[in-house]
Amino acid sequence: MYTTLICDDEPDIRSALRIYLTGEGYAVREASNGMEALEILSREEIHLVLMDIMMPGMDGMTATAKLRQHSNVPVILITAKSEDTDKIAGLTLGADDYVCKPFNPLEVLARVRAQLRRYAMLGGMPAASSALRCGGIRMDDEGKTVTNWGEEVSLTPTEYDILRLLLQHPGKVFSSREIYQKVWREAPLSAEGTVPVHIRHLREKLEIDPANPRYLKVVWGKGYKLEEDGK
Amino acid sequence: MKKLLESKGWRALALFLCLVFGLMTVACGACGLYDYFEFGMDPGAEPNYTESDFYYAYVHERPLSSRLEDGYVNLYMFLFNGRMVFLPLAGAGLLLTLALFAFLLASAGRTPEGVELRGVHRWPLEVYAGLLAAVFLVGLMVLFWIVEEIGYIAYLGIAIPGLAAAVLAMGAAVLLLCMTLAARIRAGQWWKNTVCYFLLRLCGRLLRALGRTLIAAVRAIPVAWKLALVFCGVSLINIFGIVLMVESRGYEGFWLFALFLVDLAGLAASLLLGVQLRRLRQAGQAMAAGDLSYTVDTQKLWGELKAHGEDLNAVRAGLSRAVNERMRSERFKTELITNVSHDLKTPLTSIVNYVDLLKKEEIESPQAREYIKVLDRQSQRLRKLTEDLVDASKASSGVLPVSLETLDLRELVTQAGGEYAERLSRAGVETVTTLPEGECPIRADGRLLWRVLDNLFLNVCKYAQSGTRFYVNLQPMDHGAALTLRNISREPLNIPAEELMERFVRGDRSRSGEGSGLGLSIARSLMECMGGSLDLSLDGDLFKVTLYFPQ
C-alpha cells in the first residue's frame, strides 16, 4: 500500500482529496504548509506528495526544492495559476507533474496512479534494445506493444505507425502532410486531414488530459511533436 | 597669522605705523639727500653756514629779521649734525614702510567670517577713488605751495608741520586706494561696485527690454502680414538696387551682381523653409499613423515653424501620456480580475470536488439527484467562466505575451478540423473544408490562434442546427489570408452582429446552458493582439465569421 501526503492550507480541499485517495486504497497524511510537509517526510515513508503552491508559512515551490535535496519521491504541484511560467518553474524545481485549480478529481487520481507506477518501476524494467521511449511511453518494436507508465495501450496500426515516427525523432515537428507521406507512403492530395484525427485519438489514449498534453504535443500551425514537458 | 590678518585693530595700527614710517622715510630721505649734496658723506666736514646754498636761497637774498635767521641757523645745524644718520634712517624707514604696506595689502578685505567687503570697500570704486584723488591733489598742491613759498612763511614752525601733513595726506590717499583695490580684487568682484558697471548693466537691461518688446511686436503680426512685409522688404531692396544700378554710371555690372546675390539668398531661405515645412508634415503624418515616439527637432526650425513644431511635440507628449495612463489602468484592471479569479478558484475546487463526491453517494430521493445535477452543471459553468474571464481581460488589455512567427494556416485549419471532427459529427454538423493546394504562410502566434479557432469551433458545436453544414473556407490573399467559417444557427439570431461580439452576450438571450458569453469577444481580442481582425456577419440564420491574417 502506498502512502501519499497532501499538503494544502485549505482543510476542505485536503479532506476531499483524502476521500478520493483512500477510496483508491492509498494511505493519506496531511500537512497544512511546507514546513509540516517536510517534517512528516523526515519522519515517515511517503510515496507521493500532492503540493499546493500558495500556502502561508513555507510555500509549495520552496518545500519542493527542499525535499528534492534528499528525496526523489514524486511531487505533483497543485496550482491556482494557469500561467505557463509557473508550471515551468515548478517542473524545473523538481516537481514531476502538476494540476491546475479547479481540478477534476479523476484527473488527479490518474496522475497519482501514473506517478506511483513510475516510482515503483524505477530501474526495474530491462531496457530492450529495440525499445523507444519518451516519458512514460515505451514502444517495443519487436513485440509491437506500447506501454504507458507500465500499462499496455492498444493502438490501431495507423496510430502505432504515427507514434513510432514521432518516437524515432523526439522533439522534431512533423506537419500533417509529412506524417501522411511517411506513414501512408503516398501523396497526401488533401487527404492529410485524417492525420489530426488519429493524433487526437493517440492523445486520448496516452495523455491523462488530452486537451493539455504533456508528451504528444500540438505545435499549432506547424505540426506535431513528441517531447517531455519541462525538459 | 591668519588672525593677525583678519583683526581690525592690528590693521588700524599697521596703517598708522605705515604712515608714520612713511613720513619718517620721506623726511629723513629729504634731509639725507640735502646733506649728501651739501656736505657729502664726510665726517670731518666743517659747517659753513653763510656760504651754503641754503643760506643764499633763504637768508642772504632776503632781508629777514635776526630771529628768523636764528631759526634757519638751527635748521642748518640740525641738518649738519645729522648728516651721517639721515640716509640710514631713511633706508630703515623704507624697509619698515614696505613691510607694513605688504601686510596691509595682504590683510585688506579679510574678516573673521572670510573675505567680505565692508564699509568704504562697498562704495562705488570711482567715488572712493575720486575722493582719495582729491585728497592726494590737495596734499600735492599744499606741498608745492609750501615748497614754493617757504621763504615767505613767517615761521618754519608752521612750514614743517604743513609739509608733514601734506605728505601724510598723499601717502594716506595712495595707501587707502591700494588697500581698497586689494580688498576688491581679493573678493573677486572689483568691477561690480563701480559706477561704470552699474551704467553698463542698466543699458543692457534697457536694450534687452527694447528687444523683447520688438520681438513681441513682430510675433503679434499674423503670418500673412509677416510674409507680406518680407515680400515688400525684398521688393524694396530690388527697387533700390535697380535705382542704384541705373544711377551709377560705369558700375552697373557690380550692382547687378549684388542684386543677384540678394535674390539668391532669398531663394535659399525659401528652400530652407520648404525643407522645414516638409519635416513638420512628416512629424504630423507619423503622429497621425499612431507613432507616439516621433519628436520634431525644433532646433533647426525658424520662428512660426518652430512654434508649430513645439506645439506638435506637446500634442504628442499629451497623447502618449493619456495612452500610458489608459494602459496602466487597463493593466491594473486585468491584474485585479486575475487575482480575484485566482481567489475564486480555491473555493470552486472544493465545490467541484464535493459535488462529484455527492454524485457518488447512494441517494434515494430523485429530487435530490436532480438538484445535484444542477449543482454539477452550474459549478462546471462557473469554472469555465473564471477561466474565460482571465483570458478575456488579458486579451483585451494587451498584456498577453504574443510571439508572432510564420505559420502555415492550412496546417492549423487541418489540425483544428481534426480536433473537432468527432464533436462536430456528434452535433450532427457536416464539415465542408476548402483549402488551397499549397502552404498558406501567415504571421501569428500558434497557441493564441488555436484558442481563436477553439472558441469558434466550440460555438459551432453548441449553437449550429443539427443536420446542416459547416463551411470552412481558406482563401490566400495578396498580403495574408482570409478564413471564413459559416454555419446555420439553431436559434434565431435577432440581434445585431456588433452586439453579439460584446462580452457576456449570447445569441439565445436566455443565458441558459453552458458557456460564458465571452468566446467571440476573446476571439476578436486575440486576433487584434496578433495584428489580424475578426469580422462577424449575420444573415438570417446564417452565422459567418471571417478572420483576416497579415502575412
Side-chain angles (χ1 to χ4, degrees), chain A residues 12 15 20 176 192 201 203, chain B residues 354 356 410-411 419 422:
Chain A
D12 289 338
S15 59
Y20 284 111
S176 305
E192 77 269 24
H201 291 160
R203 285 215 318 271
Chain B
Y354 284 96
D356 189 63
R410 187 182 194 281
E411 172 78 20
E419 293 294 317
E422 270 128 28

Side-chain angles (χ1 to χ4, degrees), chain A residues 101-113:
Chain A
K101 279 184 191 174
F103 49 75
N104 180 347
L106 297 178
E107 183 191 337
V108 177
L109 286 180
R111 294 203 183 281
V112 168
R113 266 199 302 276

